[in-house]
Amino acid sequence: DIQLTQSPSFLSASVGDRVTITCRASQGISSFLAWYQQKPGKAPKLLIYAASTLQRGVPSRFSGSGSGTEFTLTISSLQPEDFATYFCQQLNSYPLTFGGGTKVEIK
Amino acid sequence: EVQLLESGGGLVQPGGSLRLSCAASGFSFSNYAMTWFRRAPGKGLEWVSVISGTDGSTYYADSVKGRFTISRDDSKNTLYLQMNSLRDEDTAIYCCAKSNLGGSSSGFDSWGQGTLVTVSS
């Protein structure tokens, strides 16, 4: 199975901050990576797929990059509605696996 | 608007069976791969199974292989998960999800709220 290691697991930031979250795969997954945002009691929201393609309707302050084994999700200017948990998912091979998640809280 | 509504969860004894359903609306169901995920208490999301929208091919997590069967009825826009030989560790909220672009390599853009399965004696 492909393991995804996400870091940090928790970060505290202020509105307007630039935030970067990293996801490392235990083996190469090309660009088959997605990023999601999840808020308590809500379903996950797809933000990015194919490592860097912004899902329609998602604000352009979100961006993704990387390929192979190292990926990043960047929020260029954190907004109040962005405080949530973010996680990555690899879609290169079955079983599909997830990173452990990054909780973004208000500083 | 895409809607996914799961049903069929409940309390079952170890070794028992349940069949979950996921009623879909708001999109051309037959054209999309559909997936089941689960989240056990205090744990992260776990992928369970996927069924293709093109050829009906299926894949399973090792933890459920041989016990769970995913299927779909495109005439009813409904996804199913037949769960047999249930174990305590199958206790979780089960959610269905729709693939973003048809296949399962571009993420999942719509998720149901889930149905709770509790396996306990």
Side-chain angles (χ1 to χ4, degrees), chain A residues 1 31-34 36 38 41-46 48-50 55-56 87 89 91 94-98, chain B residues 33 35 37 39 44-47 50 59-62 98 100-101 104-113:
Chain A
D1 298 3
S31 296
F32 293 108
L33 188 100
Y36 298 86
Q38 190 169 26
K42 299 290 188 181
K45 176 184 178 181
L46 178 65
I48 302 280
Y49 64 95
Q55 174 70 352
R56 64 184 180 279
F87 56 92
Q89 179 192 35
L91 300 136
Y94 297 115
L96 306 183
T97 49
F98 293 91
Chain B
T35 299
F37 293 95
R39 187 189 294 271
L45 267 175
E46 179 188 10
W47 171 78
V50 63
Y59 299 89
Y60 298 91
D62 284 347
K98 166 190 166 288
N100 183 28
L101 296 177
S104 58
S105 62
S106 56
F108 301 91
D109 65 346
S110 299
W111 299 63
Q113 286 300 310

Side-chain angles (χ1 to χ4, degrees), chain A residues 5-6 26 28 44-45 47 52-53 63 72 79 83 86 93 100 107:
Chain A
T5 303
Q6 207 174 317
S26 59
K45 176 184 178 181
L47 301 174
S52 60
T53 302
S63 64
T72 59
Q79 298 302 300
F83 292 95
Y86 295 84
S93 61
K107 184 182 284 185

Side-chain angles (χ1 to χ4, degrees), chain A residues 34-82:
Chain A
W35 289 98
Y36 298 86
Q37 176 195 70
Q38 190 169 26
K39 297 181 179 179
K42 299 290 188 181
K45 176 184 178 181
L46 178 65
L47 301 174
I48 302 280
Y49 64 95
S52 60
T53 302
L54 191 68
Q55 174 70 352
R56 64 184 180 279
V58 174
S60 58
R61 63 180 179 274
F62 291 92
S63 64
S65 64
S67 67
T69 61
E70 187 134 348
F71 302 85
T72 59
L73 172 71
T74 299
I75 309 172
S76 60
S77 177
L78 200 63
Q79 298 302 300
E81 60 267 31
D82 300 338

Side-chain angles (χ1 to χ4, degrees), chain B residues 3 12-13 27 36 39 48 58 61 65 75 84 88 106 114-115:
Chain B
Q3 291 196 340
V12 61
Q13 292 188 337
F27 65 103
W36 286 100
R39 187 189 294 271
V48 174
T58 60
K65 199 173 295 182
S75 69
N84 298 332
D88 291 352
S106 56
T115 186

Side-chain angles (χ1 to χ4, degrees), chain B residues 39-86:
Chain B
R39 187 189 294 271
K43 296 197 172 183
L45 267 175
E46 179 188 10
W47 171 78
V48 174
S49 182
V50 63
I51 184 166
S52 166
T54 52
D55 61 6
S57 54
T58 60
Y59 299 89
Y60 298 91
D62 284 347
S63 57
V64 307
K65 199 173 295 182
R67 301 187 297 124
F68 290 13
T69 302
I70 191 171
S71 62
R72 63 192 297 157
D73 185 337
D74 290 345
S75 69
K76 295 182 178 180
N77 290 348
T78 303
L79 175 72
Y80 301 102
L81 186 68
Q82 178 67 45
M83 305 187 296
N84 298 332
S85 303
L86 283 161

